[in-house]
């Protein structure tokens, strides 16, 4: 990574004709990115990236309509390593700016005991009726998921606390696991943070992140309302029991710890005032740290703050490596024109029918999500299927949000299914 900085002006002009050292270090960078992704997310995404690289190399020998001129190793490495179309493309750019800051923000909230407050608040607000345990999990998923933006993190954090409540209320293990996972994936579509792919939507469409939040607000409310409805139906079906709520009431908790809500609201307020999403979350981080000192038990002392920064930094590794590998895939798509080919194939299969095009896109995203995390599924589908939808008159933002919502299902789609695991 340091090599491009050594002689940057000359380096960027050699992208089409890399010298031997460019090729060696570029190939090593690609291998290291694939290995980092294998260690953080498993072998499937690196394998897919290798298949795409093979597609770029073997173009002349492929059957129509997949044939293309083919690219030698030097051109491939140059494109992936020496331009902004490969590894250092939009996905990694977003990971290095938006995503890492929001991940650190989530860690700051966690270490200042905001997560604990959200669970206690939800329990106090929802826990006195037969459906109370299920309602508690649903509300806590929303409150925890909003700042974390991670389905897996929300499921893990809530699971250890909430499962005993669900068991007491009469939920069997499978039903409890399903409810926790369903609440968890809601985190990825919940403002103010959403999942990593939401920042990519803003970047791809050249719109503000506040507009993405506005687009996600109503679907988020509808999603959690549907879970509330299912909780009520399930409670009646298997005769859930009310659980005794020990501890403080809603108003007492809010009076003591309600300041944990302030930084969440502040992110949106800062953006409404015209600040960028990056600056808004930086201010929200400082605000959350300052507010933590209101009570001694939540104060982010130097040791706690160090741990929060450490967890936030290491927490972004899986997303960053995913974005870097997705950059390789996107690079192949732009280099070979695969995106245009794929959109033409989808349109031909659908016969120009809008409903069939949307259905085929949904199936394609679902299949991608069987093996890959949300961010990777979204990036690949956005590059190769969104153009087909847009050609039929679907607004670009609607096409990208549609793909995003289907990509979110990768959190609960076997065989990866990270949230249920």
């Amino acid at each position: 990574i340091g090599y491009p900085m050594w002689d940057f002006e000359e380096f960027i002009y050699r992208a089409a004709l890399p010298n031997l050292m460019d090729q060696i270090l570029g190939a090593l960078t690609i291998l290291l990115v694939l290995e980092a992704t294998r260690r953080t997310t498993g072998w499937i995404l690196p394998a897919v990236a290798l298949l795409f690289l093979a597609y770029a190399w073997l173009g002349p020998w492929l059957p129509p309509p997949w044939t293309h001129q083919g690219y030698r190793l030097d051109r491939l490495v140059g494109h992936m390593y020496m331009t902004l179309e490969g590894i250092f493309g939009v996905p990694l750019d977003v990971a290095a700016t938006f995503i890492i800051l929001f991940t650190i923000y989530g860690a700051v909230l966690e270490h200042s005991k905001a997560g604990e407050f959200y669970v206690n608040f939800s329990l106090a607000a929802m826990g006195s009726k037969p459906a109370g345990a299920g309602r508690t999990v649903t509300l806590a998923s929303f409150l925890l998921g909003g700042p974390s933006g991670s389905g897996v993190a929300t499921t893990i954090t809530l699971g250890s606390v909430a499962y005993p409540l669900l068991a007491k209320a009469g939920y069997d293990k499978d039903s409890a696991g399903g409810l926790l996972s369903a609440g968890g994936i809601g985190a990825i579509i919940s403002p103010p943070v959403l999942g990593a792919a939401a920042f990519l939507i803003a970047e791809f469409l050249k719109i503000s992140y506040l507009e993405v939040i506005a687009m996600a607000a109503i679907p988020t409310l509808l999603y959690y309302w549907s879970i509330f409805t299912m909780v009520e139906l399930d409670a009646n079906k298997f005769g859930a029991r009310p659980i005794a709520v020990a501890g403080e009431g809603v108003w007492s908790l809010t009076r003591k710890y309600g300041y944990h809500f302030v930084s969440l609201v502040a992110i949106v307020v800062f953006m409404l005032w015209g600040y960028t999403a990056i600056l808004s979350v930086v201010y929200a981080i400082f605000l959350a740290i300052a507010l933590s000192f209101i009570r001694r038990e939540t104060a982010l002392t130097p040791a706690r703050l160090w741990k929060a920064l450490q967890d936030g930094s290491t927490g972004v590794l899986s997303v960053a490596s995913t974005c870097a590998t997705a950059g390789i895939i996107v690079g192949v798509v732009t280099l070979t024109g695969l995106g245009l080919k794929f959109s033409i194939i989808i349109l031909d299969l659908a016969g120009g029918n809008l409903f069939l095009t949307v259905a085929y896109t949904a199936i394609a995203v679902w299949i991608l999500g069987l093996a890959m995390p949300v961010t990777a599924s979204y990036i690949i589908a956005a590059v190769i299927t969104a153009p087909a939808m847009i050609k039929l008159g679907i607004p670009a933002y609607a096409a990208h949000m549609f793909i995003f919502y289907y990509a979110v299902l990768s959190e609960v789609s076997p065989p990866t299914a990270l949230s249920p695991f």
Side-chain angles (χ1 to χ4, degrees):
I1 299 299
Y3 176 72
M5 308 301 168
W6 186 257
D7 189 12
F8 187 71
E9 292 295 326
E10 289 294 321
F11 179 84
I12 57 174
Y13 286 114
R14 294 198 304 267
L17 294 167
N19 63 34
L20 182 61
M21 187 57 72
D22 297 337
Q23 292 177 49
I24 292 169
L25 291 176
L28 281 172
T29 301
I30 291 169
L31 290 173
L32 286 168
V33 164
L34 294 175
E35 173 59 11
T37 309
R38 186 193 67 78
R39 292 188 186 200
T40 52
T41 63
W43 59 270
I44 293 173
L45 183 56
V48 171
L50 287 171
L51 283 174
F52 271 79
L53 288 171
Y55 169 78
W57 186 46
L58 297 170
W61 297 284
L62 295 172
W66 307 104
T67 312
H68 61 87
Q69 70 179 49
Y71 296 90
R72 295 183 311 174
L73 187 63
D74 59 340
R75 184 69 196 283
L76 270 176
V77 170
H79 190 75
M80 299 303 161
Y81 179 60
M82 302 174 74
T83 73
L84 297 180
E85 299 292 326
I87 291 171
F88 302 106
V90 169
L92 194 62
D93 175 32
V94 171
T97 51
F98 293 96
I99 297 170
I100 187 163
L101 288 171
F102 277 90
T103 307
I104 289 171
Y105 172 62
V108 164
L109 285 184
E110 182 188 336
H111 285 273
S112 62
K113 300 192 176 179
E116 188 179 310
F117 162 67
Y118 296 149
V119 173
N120 291 336
F121 177 87
S122 303
L123 185 58
M126 301 287 179
S128 59
K129 296 191 173 156
R135 289 179 182 177
T136 297
V137 168
T138 308
L139 179 58
S141 296
F142 172 69
L143 292 175
L144 282 170
S148 79
S150 168
V152 176
T154 303
T155 304
I156 290 169
T157 305
L158 196 54
S160 56
V161 179
Y163 176 63
L165 298 177
L166 293 171
K168 280 183 190 174
Y171 282 78
D172 61 80
K173 291 181 178 180
D174 291 338
S175 300
L179 180 57
L180 285 162
S181 299
I185 64 170
I188 311 171
I189 64 169
S190 296
V193 177
L194 290 91
F199 302 105
L200 291 160
I201 293 172
E203 197 70 22
F204 281 146
L205 297 180
K206 303 300 178 194
I207 59 176
S208 74
Y209 183 61
L210 187 62
E211 289 178 79
V212 179
I213 289 177
M215 291 191 287
I218 291 175
T220 300
L221 293 173
L222 291 173
Y223 178 76
Y224 278 107
W225 179 251
S226 71
I227 298 180
F228 266 113
T229 306
M230 291 306 300
V231 163
E232 295 294 330
L233 293 172
D234 279 350
N236 292 330
K237 186 169 72 178
F238 65 76
R241 300 182 291 274
I243 51 173
V245 180
E248 299 178 71
V250 172
W251 297 116
S252 175
L253 282 168
T254 305
R255 192 174 64 255
K256 285 184 179 178
Y257 303 104
Y259 54 85
H260 285 306
F261 288 129
V262 174
S263 63
L264 286 176
V265 177
I267 290 178
V268 179
V269 171
F270 286 137
M271 284 193 276
L272 287 172
W273 282 347
Y275 292 103
T276 63
I278 292 173
L279 204 53
S280 298
V281 75
V282 168
Y283 288 156
I285 289 169
F286 285 121
L287 185 59
I289 293 168
L291 290 171
S292 73
F293 286 92
I294 289 176
R295 299 189 70 85
R296 183 189 293 271
E297 66 267 28
T298 64
L300 282 170
T301 58
R304 265 196 201 165
L305 181 58
W306 179 262
K307 189 70 171 67
L309 294 173
Q310 186 182 56
D311 288 354
S313 303
T314 54
V316 82
L317 290 177
S318 60
V319 176
S321 60
T322 296
C323 285
T325 299
I328 294 172
I329 294 169
V330 173
V332 170
V333 170
T334 57
L335 186 64
T336 61
L338 178 61
L340 184 60
K341 283 192 182 79
F342 206 95
S343 63
I344 290 168
I345 290 166
I346 289 177
L347 289 172
D348 286 347
L349 281 173
N353 182 285
L354 179 59
F355 175 78
L356 286 177
T357 302
V358 170
Y360 290 151
T361 300
I363 291 167
V365 181
W366 174 66
I367 291 169
L368 285 169
L370 296 178
M372 284 187 276
V374 176
T375 309
S377 302
Y378 165 75
I379 293 169
I380 297 167
V383 173
I384 64 177
T385 65
M389 298 170 72
I390 293 166
K391 274 184 185 175
L392 290 178
I394 294 174
Y397 61 84
H400 280 263
M401 291 300 281
F402 177 85
I403 290 167
F404 174 52
Y405 288 130
Y406 273 89
V408 165
L409 294 178
S410 71
E411 290 281 285
V412 291
S413 298
T416 310
L418 292 176
S419 283
F421 274 135

